[in-house]
Amino acid sequence: MSKRVRTRFAPSPTGYMHIGNLRTALYAYLLAKKDGGDFILRIEDTDQERYVEGAVDIIYNTLRIAGLNWDEGPDIGGPVGPYVQSERMHMFKGYAEELVKKGHAYYCFCDKDRLDEVRRIQDASRMAPMYDRHCRNLTPEEVQEKLNAGVPYVIRQKMPLEGTTTFHDEIYGDITVENSTLDDQILIKTDGMPTYNFANVVDDHLMGITHVVRGNEYLSSTPKYNLLYQAFGWEIPTYVHCPPVMKDQTHKLSKRNGDASFQDLLDKGYLPQAVLNFIALLGWAPTGEQEIYSLEELTQVFSPSGISKSPAIFDHAKLRAINGAYVHSMSPADFAAAAEPYIRQTVKRADIDMTLLCSVLQNRTEVFSDIPEQVDFIDAVPEYDVEMYRHKKMKTTPETALDALQAALPVLEGVSDWTVDHVHEALFAKIAELGVKNGWMLWPIRTAVSGKQFTPGGGIELCAILGKEDTLARIRAAIEKLS
């Protein structure tokens, strides 16, 4: 019987939720849920210098909005808590001391001045920076003497000096490194606190994590982690190291450079489920042509074997297209509820047909933030040049537009029941009577009532949305402008 899958997302509370971080959380969630396993949230808050007030709530809110609900975590507890790393500090030193007894770690008493001098010599000699293992072979008596004297120390991992270490990653395959290149990394700092590289191994073991999903920047540290697992005699987890998400071929996504966080994308009018769908496809390719997936569908089809080794490029056009697919599939009521705040950014009038406006907007909207500019003509016609009436395809000019509007005005004045169908019926009867193309009349009407080249609906729909009185006033103003 296979072991129950347990994955974890272990972010540091350092601010907003980076898109790459959210993708890591998503893949960890999908990997667990595909096999009915557990998804654990652990907050790694030991780097107090980078701690940002309120960042833990951002992590909670982002995961909840995305639908990535955790089975165990700081707020809901679980059998292997606490789930906040700073609350686990008491347990790590004992594990490091166990490694010292087993010969896999040692006390290091080198002070900062000595370490700085070693680094300067290495830099001058163009050597890779690495601890020179000065304290590695101190005798037990020498160590005890320094401990008794209260000399500050760290505990370092004792790396093998010969041979190789190999680990397997689900994306990159088997990776082998020369042990001679591995630094004797610090496990416990002078203040007794663990380093990240030590704490995350101990925590993952104690929490029963079977699959570790993280960024590929940790590939170089993984041989050291494997040696720790082996030193303790613990089972090594399955590794999934994800390639980075890039802004372009050479630049990583970065908040400092103005790249969007998950919350930024929601604020710009993207739907959370569309963003999550897009993030899933950043470097992961499902089998087949389907691109639109619910979270439940992703859970069924996800496999690490579909993750590329290459960096994923954040493609804004693809995100827009995926979001558009979600927007277009919304129920009219849901779309109207989501769209109204954006409509109201530029439309203050209360007398427009909001239902009709939303019905024409829905299929012309990819991102909700597109809406304010699409409807900014409703309160008042913007200034426009009469050359806008010239349209090659419609075969219209300012002169023909004047004729069309003068012909349409009395027709529209005679429409008593002001609906799309009745306006359509009246105008098309006039078009047939005159023997002209539809566009000859409808393009000038659309331009007259909107003052824009691109609108969320055609001329007839815009007339119905604006109402009879405003439509007639705008057409009369346009006739005057063209005369």
Side-chain angles (χ1 to χ4, degrees), residues 116-406:
D116 287 346
E117 180 61 25
V118 170
R119 177 62 59 89
R120 274 195 296 273
I121 293 169
Q122 289 173 336
D123 287 346
S125 308
R126 296 189 176 176
M127 297 167 62
M130 184 182 284
Y131 176 58
D132 66 353
R133 301 186 166 110
H134 176 74
C135 293
R136 180 168 168 136
N137 296 313
L138 293 175
T139 65
E141 293 75 23
E142 289 172 316
V143 170
Q144 194 59 51
E145 184 183 329
K146 290 181 182 293
L147 291 176
N148 291 344
V151 179
Y153 65 87
V154 299
I155 298 179
R156 290 183 181 271
Q157 186 176 357
K158 187 183 280 188
M159 298 297 177
L161 302 179
E162 298 175 344
T164 60
T165 295
T166 299
F167 69 94
H168 179 78
D169 180 78
E170 292 295 292
I171 300 172
Y172 293 90
D174 287 340
I175 296 177
T176 299
V177 299
E178 296 288 334
N179 289 333
S180 60
T181 65
L182 300 177
D183 194 6
D184 284 7
Q185 67 176 350
I186 295 172
L187 305 180
I188 299 292
K189 296 177 283 190
T190 51
D191 61 2
M193 295 295 103
T195 58
Y196 168 82
N197 284 331
F198 186 52
N200 90 84
V201 168
V202 175
D203 280 344
D204 284 346
H205 168 73
L206 294 178
M207 292 186 174
I209 303 303
T210 61
H211 294 67
V212 172
V213 183
R214 59 186 170 216
N216 72 352
E217 66 268 26
Y218 291 103
L219 275 172
S220 61
S221 298
T222 302
K224 302 173 188 178
Y225 301 154
N226 260 30
L227 288 166
L228 286 172
Y229 279 106
Q230 289 166 1
F232 282 118
W234 294 343
E235 189 174 341
I236 294 170
T238 299
Y239 295 120
V240 182
H241 286 91
C242 305
V245 179
M246 307 287 283
K247 182 176 187 172
D248 52 41
Q249 295 292 344
T250 53
H251 299 94
K252 282 188 177 183
L253 282 182
S254 164
K255 181 73 169 177
R256 255 184 325 213
N257 298 332
D259 298 317
S261 69
F262 179 68
Q263 190 58 51
D264 289 336
L265 292 174
L266 300 190
D267 293 343
K268 288 177 181 177
Y270 289 92
L271 293 165
Q273 60 269 41
V275 176
L276 202 70
N277 189 154
F278 169 73
I279 290 173
L281 301 175
L282 279 174
W284 171 74
T287 55
E289 299 300 311
Q290 183 177 338
E291 283 199 323
I292 306 301
Y293 290 94
S294 67
L295 184 57
E296 293 72 25
E297 289 170 329
L298 284 171
T299 301
Q300 292 164 16
V301 301
F302 179 77
S303 169
S305 62
I307 300 175
S308 169
K309 295 178 185 176
S310 304
I313 306 294
F314 190 100
D315 183 343
H316 285 274
K318 185 169 184 177
L319 173 58
R320 283 186 66 90
I322 289 175
N323 199 74
Y326 277 85
V327 170
H328 302 159
S329 67
M330 293 173 82
S331 72
D334 286 346
F335 175 80
E340 184 163 5
Y342 293 91
I343 293 170
R344 288 301 176 195
Q345 286 180 28
T346 52
V347 177
K348 307 304 177 188
R349 332 173 13 175
D351 62 331
I352 58 159
D353 187 332
M354 189 67 83
T355 301
L356 178 57
L357 176 58
C358 287
S359 73
V360 298
L361 272 174
Q362 185 163 1
N363 283 331
R364 292 170 174 85
T365 299
E366 283 192 321
V367 183
F368 286 101
S369 55
D370 296 341
I371 290 175
E373 191 179 350
Q374 287 194 71
V375 298
D376 60 2
F377 66 91
I378 290 177
D379 281 14
V381 180
E383 281 297 318
Y384 67 95
D385 193 300
V386 294
E387 281 301 306
M388 201 182 289
Y389 286 99
R390 193 181 302 280
H391 196 295
K392 193 173 179 182
K393 186 179 175 186
M394 303 294 180
K395 296 185 170 57
T396 61
T397 66
E399 291 74 28
T400 65
L402 178 59
D403 294 338
L405 293 176
Q406 287 174 330

